[in-house]
Amino acid sequence: MPEVRAPRGTAYTAKGWPQEAAKRMLMNNLDPDVAERPDELVVYGGTGRAARDWPSFHAIVRELDELRADETLLVQSGRPVGVFRTHEWAPRVLIANSNLVGDWATWPEFRRLEKLGLTMYGQMTAGSWIYIGTQGILQGTYETFAAVAAKRAADAAGRFGADLAGTLTLTAGCGGMGGAQPLAVTMNGGVCLIVDVDESRLRRRVKDRYLDTVANDLDDAVARAEAAKRDRVARSIGVVGNAAEVFPELLRRGVAIDIVTDQTSAHDPLSYVPIGVDPAGAADYAAAKPEEFTDRARESMARHVEAMVGFLDAGAEVFDYGNSIRGEARLGGYDRAFAFPGFVPAYIRPLFAEGKGPFRWAALSGDPADIAATDRAVLDLFPENDALARWIRMAGERVAFQGLPARICWLGYGERDKAGVRFNDMVARGEVSAPIVIGRDHLDAGSVASPYRETEAMLDGSDAIADWPLLNAMVNTASGASWVSIHHGGGVGIGRSIHAGQVCVADGSALAGQKIERVLTNDPGMGVIRHVDAGYESAAAAGVHIPMERK
Amino acid sequence: MPEVRAPRGTAYTAKGWPQEAAKRMLMNNLDPDVAERPDELVVYGGTGRAARDWPSFHAIVRELDELRADETLLVQSGRPVGVFRTHEWAPRVLIANSNLVGDWATWPEFRRLEKLGLTMYGQMTAGSWIYIGTQGILQGTYETFAAVAAKRAADAAGRFGADLAGTLTLTAGCGGMGGAQPLAVTMNGGVCLIVDVDESRLRRRVKDRYLDTVANDLDDAVARAEAAKRDRVARSIGVVGNAAEVFPELLRRGVAIDIVTDQTSAHDPLSYVPIGVDPAGAADYAAAKPEEFTDRARESMARHVEAMVGFLDAGAEVFDYGNSIRGEARLGGYDRAFAFPGFVPAYIRPLFAEGKGPFRWAALSGDPADIAATDRAVLDLFPENDALARWIRMAGERVAFQGLPARICWLGYGERDKAGVRFNDMVARGEVSAPIVIGRDHLDAGSVASPYRETEAMLDGSDAIADWPLLNAMVNTASGASWVSIHHGGGVGIGRSIHAGQVCVADGSALAGQKIERVLTNDPGMGVIRHVDAGYESAAAAGVHIPMERK
Ligand SMILES: NC(=O)c1ccc[n+]([C@@H]2O[C@H](COP(=O)([O-])OP(=O)(O)OC[C@H]3O[C@@H](n4cnc5c(N)ncnc54)[C@H](O)[C@@H]3O)[C@@H](O)[C@H]2O)c1
Ligand SMILES: NC(=O)c1ccc[n+]([C@@H]2O[C@H](COP(=O)([O-])OP(=O)(O)OC[C@H]3O[C@@H](n4cnc5c(N)ncnc54)[C@H](O)[C@@H]3O)[C@@H](O)[C@H]2O)c1
């Protein structure tokens, strides 16, 4: 098993920066500082892979090194399957991961095919080579908790102030994504109690400074959390335990919890550790007896969600954080699983209607100074946006880079293209030392159909319509993106979502500038038209050509 | 309800031929000579629509008239949802129809969303604006019988020559699709004996000149068939009767039959007429006693298929023609029903592995002379291909155009691009009077995932992997196609398939020539890599860049 790390600097081996960028970002996804289990090619999300297997990885790297500027490499679930002559405006790589025909879109069939070596799970940014570590989720999580505070501050109850100071948030799952929660809560001034069945996950986050401390036991954790809440001190406390047992116990004890959510790996019942199962042996057990394990995991999730609904009934702000735990709990026999909402309709949708979503970029030089320069450029471009400025400054101080230096912030229609063009100009002028890669999560305004998460409870009922992510992938392919991907499953699991991604490379050329301007207009533009078509208000709609809205 | 018919000739209102072509082909799909129920926007296949509703149709036409050569119109299930600035190599239209997230990909959910006005059924070429009438079915059937001849010609037995001359084909079912069989067999030089329980179906096909004659009785039919076979004369003979009785009787008599298939409506046991039931009263009987009718139909299908297996044992070439009769016969208690294969694995897959599939084109002038000129060009380009030459000549004589004059033939990797570039040169030189539109069915070598039909029984078990049609759509978008579509459902229904289409416009420009060369190389190239990846032999593979096959 090779140790993979992206090359740094301005010397490169591919036939152009876009190809070199794809190669570096693929490698960066497997950097031991970035990936969850690099030896198995797993980047994040339990089984989200960057390539099908090692021979596929090596073949992709070789092809990217040889690929010409008018050729396109095709990747089918992590395996390079063809190179075709296209043209210079075309993407250099086209990727389709984990897609199955509807009637076969089930976990058992997916796993059967995976075992045959015919597919892999791409998650969102694992198989599309634009994962940047936990910063990606940190920013969204930070914004979500800020939105919770804002929403509850507007309440009559007066339990919340302007931020989360003096409030206690309970959550579980301190993994690749979920591990961002404690820092996001403390950045908002609150107290966070986070449960994970695997102590090493908590320890790792303490090392990263995402989590302040790990309690000795539940009594200790509760005591510390209550003290911090009382003293209005921002503090995060980890506790080892199974959430399906700890949540009901905290409810039973009547601990005064204000916000409840969860990011255990519930989207995949073979990854969620059932009550009574030792986490160390869980993977072997799941592999040996997948059906029995699934039944037990769902039963535990039913107890876990039942407790969350208990907190809801007691007046807490409760939301599903995009891991399908409500769906699994219902399959586990719990009827009220959908009593609390998903985070998207609750907090994110108004942003989506403006084309706002998780814009991210990475410095191919490997030099943190390049990100510092882009940070300054963003502050300069959007001086009126206080929340953005606060985030950029705090991120500069608190966020440790994993792999290639990178930054994320949420930008909307009319903003992303400005930032992208500016970055390209900076590359051209030598204000950064090498090209910048600009991409995003598949979780975006106009790039996903996911009825349990991004498109839950759409105004017109169009939650399950999957034309939009496919149009998104096609329009990005047609606008000049450097690589484009269509995935199935992602964070919510097989059968539950279809989503698309794009990455552009700012290499300082005039052509890159044109491509970036179009992709970063059209891509968030998809978010605007998708939401306008569903009946949402959008201030940005005035600037987009929408045929059925014309008078 | 307007009556729609595509404009003809060289004067046009759009801002370029690709836009004008998309508009004319949309309109042509709704021409009363082409569409099944044009007033409801239904083109074919029961509910396959060209646009969501009339306001959407009118808005699409208006947008296409105004669309610039660097803009792209997005169509979501028949509704125009956005126009974005792209570039001149980009498609002018991107289409996604009927797509649903896997867990929601069911008929009831689809119908619920359709009723809400949120989607439409696109079939394959209805919602992608490249349907050309029944010529498509005739040619596909012709191609299948040509492939049967080719396969048996390679046999040691020496029973078959280069075509079907001197062979007798037995089939049943002379309906909407099945009625193409007798003409397809005689076009291949063979003798066809076709059984239908309903005399009016046979008479109708005599009127269409798809069937030569209807025999007085079985003795007469056998005598005529044997005489034609002996004299090596191409001849089709219909006989009225129930296939479940006639097939066993012919087997008992030892009639020397070389090929056996069936296109009765076996997919629906309430449509297949059981032994002893008067066809005139069958529908009422089926409605009144569906379970009894189903049992009797399956029992009859068991006898029907048992006779087919009898012919197989006697050395005939026997295949299922996509109507599920094997499955029904097994339900009727016949164990050896799956002793013979389906037509795709048996004959079509080797063609798919060479990138061969249903290449079609239409003359935007409306002038049949333009198709005659392209017919001559195809004959000139591929002089060594006898089956192709026979088809082109006979189609010129026997096929009545519906709507804009059009032609279809199967061409493979390395052939389609040649034909496309030639057509574009002909437009440039004025050898045809207006541009030519070049497209295909979604049923093609590398454009569909459909485990009950096109991808049934793949060698490596990858039947349900849906990455391929998505990569196909993206690579065509990246290669210069004029419009590209991704559909769900098509001919096999919701939940059962995902497939993609592309159309190129040969307007005689140098740019069009480059685009056509790339699209018509890469599109069938997808068929080659999809089949090579699954383990099939492909002579064409030598000319395609396949990373995992490189030494
Ligand atoms: N906000 C979003 O929309 C979003 C984004 C990304 C991921 N997700 C979802 O969030 C979930 C977590 O993602 P991740 O990348 O952190 O996954 P992960 O596999 O890295 O981490 C999951 C964590 O849950 C823990 N865990 C499992 N069962 C448990 C139990 N019963 N009790 C306590 N802890 C348990 C594991 O030990 C692990 O640390 C996934 O379902 C993912 O799909 C949501
Ligand atoms: N190649 C393919 O993959 C493909 C394509 C299209 C249709 N099909 C299948 O082919 C079948 C025929 O399609 P169609 O559109 O022609 O259907 P249709 O309903 O128009 O015609 C069926 C014909 O079968 C006759 N028939 C019924 N029971 C009979 C019996 N016992 N003996 C003799 N004749 C009998 C009917 O009289 C009728 O003429 C369907 O099952 C369809 O699904 C397959």
Side-chain angles (χ1 to χ4, degrees):
Chain A
M1 243 56 82
E3 183 169 296
V4 177
R5 216 175 278 270
R8 266 67 173 168
T10 55
Y12 63 90
T13 54
K15 296 197 191 315
W17 269 114
Q19 300 92 305
E20 178 74 12
K23 184 185 69 182
R24 290 193 188 181
M25 295 307 290
L26 160 61
M27 290 176 151
N28 194 54
N29 265 13
L30 294 171
D31 186 315
D33 292 341
V34 176
E36 232 172 58
R37 298 199 304 282
D39 52 317
E40 296 171 50
L41 297 127
V42 170
V43 182
Y44 76 97
T47 58
R49 285 188 164 73
R52 182 108 47 101
D53 46 37
W54 287 107
S56 294
F57 168 81
H58 292 301
I60 293 170
V61 168
R62 183 193 64 210
E63 296 295 335
L64 287 172
D65 263 338
E66 296 179 9
L67 198 74
R68 293 200 321 249
D70 66 348
E71 290 182 327
T72 297
L73 169 66
L74 270 50
V75 176
Q76 182 261 318
S77 289
R79 177 176 159 97
V81 291
V83 172
F84 290 111
R85 177 141 185 245
T86 53
H87 53 78
E88 62 172 6
W89 270 89
R92 295 288 71 83
V93 191
L94 295 169
I95 298 170
N97 285 328
S98 327
N99 297 286
L100 294 174
V101 177
D103 282 0
W104 288 261
T106 65
W107 276 116
E109 176 68 6
F110 177 79
R111 291 209 191 88
R112 193 184 70 79
L113 292 165
E114 195 184 28
K115 207 166 287 170
L116 286 171
L118 297 171
T119 189
M120 70 160 201
Y121 203 64
Q123 263 288 0
M124 289 190 147
T125 53
S128 60
W129 313 339
I130 187 70
Y131 185 65
I132 57 166
T134 51
Q135 183 187 171
I137 200 74
L138 177 63
Q139 208 272 335
T141 312
Y142 168 81
E143 299 254 343
T144 302
F145 282 104
V148 173
K151 181 189 162 200
R152 294 297 293 244
D155 276 9
R159 200 161 165 183
F160 288 66
D163 59 15
L164 294 184
T167 69
L168 172 55
T169 295
L170 170 65
T171 188
C174 197
M177 311 300 270
Q181 299 174 101
L183 180 53
V185 171
T186 55
M187 275 179 153
N188 275 292
V191 181
C192 181
L193 177 56
I194 184 164
V195 185
D196 200 294
V197 75
D198 179 350
E199 182 171 356
S200 70
R201 297 307 193 96
L202 297 169
R203 295 283 167 209
R204 182 175 170 171
R205 289 306 173 184
V206 171
K207 195 168 140 265
D208 291 348
R209 295 167 53 217
Y210 272 49
L211 176 63
D212 294 327
T213 185
V214 179
N216 299 323
D217 55 31
L218 190 58
D219 293 339
D220 180 37
V222 169
R224 291 190 199 208
E226 289 182 331
K229 174 176 169 164
R230 189 182 52 241
D231 300 342
R232 302 180 71 83
V233 174
R235 178 76 35 96
S236 57
I237 300 132
V239 64
V240 180
N242 192 308
E245 295 177 304
V246 174
F247 277 38
E249 174 60 17
L250 291 168
L251 182 66
R252 198 190 57 75
R253 293 190 188 183
V255 178
I257 290 169
D258 305 288
I259 301 167
V260 183
T261 190
D262 174 69
Q263 282 206 18
T264 56
S265 37
H267 72 280
D268 174 7
L270 295 184
S271 295
Y272 181 96
V273 181
I275 295 173
V277 172
D278 176 3
D284 289 344
Y285 176 17
K289 298 184 178 174
E291 279 166 31
E292 181 184 306
F293 193 98
T294 297
D295 287 346
R296 289 187 62 181
R298 285 183 176 146
E299 229 169 85
S300 293
M301 287 192 251
R303 297 291 73 76
H304 182 159
V305 170
E306 186 179 37
M308 292 174 78
V309 173
F311 286 113
L312 179 78
D313 291 341
E317 182 76 14
V318 183
F319 59 95
D320 176 313
Y321 215 153
N323 63 354
S324 284
I325 198 167
R326 291 171 302 169
E328 295 296 326
R330 188 160 63 185
L331 289 171
Y334 179 58
D335 279 349
R336 289 186 65 206
F338 282 81
F340 54 85
F343 73 109
V344 173
Y347 315 111
I348 306 297
R349 190 147 302 144
L351 305 178
F352 278 173
E354 305 299 338
K356 283 209 171 105
F359 181 81
R360 62 176 61 173
W361 64 98
L364 290 177
S365 63
D367 187 350
D370 284 356
I371 291 300
T374 54
D375 280 351
R376 287 191 298 274
V378 169
L379 292 174
D380 179 57
L381 272 172
F382 309 108
E384 74 295 342
N385 191 335
D386 290 335
L388 175 66
R390 196 162 52 242
W391 161 256
I392 291 286
R393 287 204 194 90
M394 249 197 285
E397 290 162 20
R398 301 281 307 255
V399 171
F401 295 133
Q402 298 166 260
L404 290 170
R407 182 65 71 230
I408 178 169
C409 64
W410 278 43
L411 293 179
Y413 184 81
E415 296 177 332
R416 297 194 208 186
D417 58 316
K418 278 197 191 69
V421 168
R422 170 72 74 94
F423 294 171
N424 195 55
D425 290 345
M426 292 170 73
V427 176
R429 288 195 297 262
E431 293 168 24
V432 288
S433 59
I436 301 286
V437 157
I438 306 170
R440 61 164 173 76
D441 196 3
H442 287 199
L443 184 169
D444 194 12
S447 59
V448 51
S450 186
Y452 292 146
R453 199 165 81 182
E454 290 88 343
T455 55
E456 176 182 341
M458 293 293 290
L459 215 50
D460 63 346
S462 59
D463 308 19
I465 300 277
D467 297 325
W468 301 97
L470 302 178
L471 288 172
N472 178 255
M474 287 195 283
V475 85
N476 284 328
T477 300
S479 298
S482 299
W483 62 98
V484 177
S485 52
I486 302 176
H487 291 193
H488 166 209
V492 290
I494 290 295
R496 292 179 174 168
S497 66
I498 296 177
H499 36 87
Q502 63 79 12
V503 181
C504 290
V505 178
D507 62 10
S509 67
L511 180 62
Q514 287 183 291
K515 289 178 176 182
I516 285 167
E517 190 270 335
R518 284 172 215 180
V519 172
L520 295 183
T521 298
N522 300 345
D523 185 35
M526 284 295 310
V528 175
I529 66 173
R530 196 271 177 268
H531 287 84
V532 167
D533 196 74
Y536 290 89
E537 292 295 317
S538 168
V544 185
H545 183 139
I546 305 178
M548 302 303 285
E549 298 285 307
R550 289 172 70 188
K551 299 296 165 270
Chain B
M1 242 57 81
E3 183 170 297
V4 176
R5 216 175 279 271
R8 267 68 174 167
T10 55
Y12 63 89
T13 53
K15 297 200 190 312
W17 268 115
Q19 301 91 306
E20 178 75 12
K23 184 184 71 182
R24 288 192 188 182
M25 294 308 290
L26 161 62
M27 290 176 152
N28 193 55
N29 265 13
L30 294 171
D31 186 315
D33 292 340
V34 175
E36 233 170 58
R37 300 197 306 280
D39 52 317
E40 295 171 51
L41 297 127
V42 170
V43 182
Y44 77 100
T47 58
R49 285 188 163 74
R52 180 109 47 104
D53 45 38
W54 286 107
S56 293
F57 168 82
H58 292 300
I60 294 170
V61 168
R62 183 193 64 209
E63 296 294 335
L64 287 172
D65 264 339
E66 296 178 9
L67 199 73
R68 292 200 321 250
D70 65 349
E71 289 182 329
T72 298
L73 169 66
L74 271 49
V75 176
Q76 182 261 320
S77 289
R79 176 177 160 98
V81 292
V83 172
F84 289 111
R85 176 138 185 249
T86 52
H87 54 77
E88 61 171 7
W89 270 89
R92 297 286 72 80
V93 191
L94 295 169
I95 298 170
N97 285 327
S98 326
N99 297 286
L100 294 172
V101 177
D103 282 359
W104 290 262
T106 65
W107 277 114
E109 177 67 6
F110 177 80
R111 292 209 187 88
R112 192 184 71 79
L113 292 165
E114 194 183 29
K115 207 166 285 171
L116 288 171
L118 298 171
T119 188
M120 69 162 201
Y121 204 65
Q123 265 287 358
M124 287 189 148
T125 53
S128 59
W129 314 339
I130 189 69
Y131 185 66
I132 57 165
T134 53
Q135 186 183 167
I137 291 142
L138 176 62
Q139 209 279 332
T141 312
Y142 171 82
E143 200 65 38
T144 302
F145 281 104
V148 173
K151 182 189 163 201
R152 294 298 294 242
D155 276 10
R159 202 160 165 182
F160 288 66
D163 59 15
L164 293 183
T167 69
L168 173 54
T169 296
L170 170 66
T171 188
C174 197
M177 311 296 264
Q181 297 175 103
L183 181 53
V185 170
T186 55
M187 280 180 149
N188 275 293
V191 181
C192 180
L193 178 57
I194 184 165
V195 184
D196 201 296
V197 74
D198 179 350
E199 182 170 354
S200 71
R201 297 305 192 98
L202 296 168
R203 296 280 167 211
R204 182 176 165 172
R205 288 304 179 175
V206 171
K207 192 164 143 269
D208 290 349
R209 296 171 53 220
Y210 271 50
L211 175 63
D212 294 328
T213 184
V214 180
N216 300 324
D217 55 30
L218 191 58
D219 293 339
D220 180 36
V222 170
R224 290 192 200 207
E226 288 183 330
K229 174 175 168 165
R230 191 181 51 239
D231 300 344
R232 303 179 70 83
V233 173
R235 178 77 34 97
S236 59
I237 302 134
V239 64
V240 181
N242 192 308
E245 296 176 305
V246 175
F247 278 38
E249 173 60 16
L250 290 169
L251 182 65
R252 198 190 59 74
R253 291 189 189 187
V255 178
I257 290 169
D258 305 287
I259 301 166
V260 183
T261 189
D262 175 68
Q263 281 207 18
T264 56
S265 36
H267 69 282
D268 174 8
L270 295 183
S271 296
Y272 180 97
V273 182
I275 295 173
V277 172
D278 177 2
D284 288 345
Y285 176 18
K289 299 184 178 175
E291 279 165 31
E292 181 183 307
F293 192 97
T294 297
D295 288 346
R296 289 187 62 181
R298 287 185 174 145
E299 229 168 86
S300 294
M301 286 193 252
R303 299 292 73 75
H304 183 160
V305 170
E306 185 180 38
M308 293 174 79
V309 173
F311 286 113
L312 178 78
D313 291 341
E317 185 73 16
V318 183
F319 61 95
D320 177 313
Y321 214 156
N323 64 353
S324 289
I325 197 167
R326 291 172 299 171
E328 295 297 323
R330 188 159 65 184
L331 289 171
Y334 179 58
D335 279 349
R336 291 185 64 206
F338 281 81
F340 55 85
F343 76 109
V344 172
Y347 314 111
I348 305 299
R349 192 148 301 145
L351 303 179
F352 279 173
E354 305 300 338
K356 282 205 171 111
F359 181 82
R360 60 176 61 172
W361 64 98
L364 291 176
S365 63
D367 187 350
D370 284 355
I371 291 300
T374 54
D375 281 351
R376 286 191 299 274
V378 169
L379 292 174
D380 179 54
L381 273 172
F382 309 107
E384 73 297 340
N385 189 333
D386 291 334
L388 174 66
R390 195 161 51 242
W391 160 258
I392 292 287
R393 286 205 195 89
M394 288 202 207
E397 290 162 20
R398 308 278 307 249
V399 172
F401 294 133
Q402 297 167 262
L404 290 170
R407 182 65 71 229
I408 179 172
C409 65
W410 278 43
L411 293 180
Y413 183 82
E415 297 177 331
R416 298 195 207 184
D417 58 317
K418 279 197 190 69
V421 168
R422 171 72 72 94
F423 294 171
N424 195 55
D425 289 345
M426 292 171 73
V427 176
R429 288 195 297 261
E431 292 168 24
V432 288
S433 58
I436 302 286
V437 157
I438 306 169
R440 59 164 174 78
D441 196 3
H442 287 199
L443 183 168
D444 194 11
S447 59
V448 51
S450 185
Y452 291 147
R453 202 165 77 181
E454 290 88 342
T455 54
E456 174 185 340
M458 294 293 289
L459 214 50
D460 63 345
S462 60
D463 308 19
I465 300 278
D467 297 325
W468 300 97
L470 303 178
L471 287 173
N472 179 255
M474 287 196 282
V475 84
N476 283 328
T477 301
S479 299
S482 299
W483 61 98
V484 177
S485 50
I486 302 176
H487 291 192
H488 166 208
V492 289
I494 290 295
R496 294 186 172 165
S497 65
I498 295 177
H499 35 87
Q502 62 79 13
V503 181
C504 289
V505 179
D507 63 9
S509 66
L511 179 62
Q514 288 183 291
K515 290 178 175 181
I516 285 167
E517 191 269 335
R518 284 173 214 181
V519 171
L520 295 183
T521 298
N522 301 346
D523 185 35
M526 285 296 309
V528 175
I529 66 173
R530 197 270 178 267
H531 286 84
V532 167
D533 196 73
Y536 290 89
E537 292 293 318
S538 168
V544 184
H545 183 139
I546 305 177
M548 300 304 284
E549 297 286 307
R550 290 172 70 188
K551 298 297 165 268

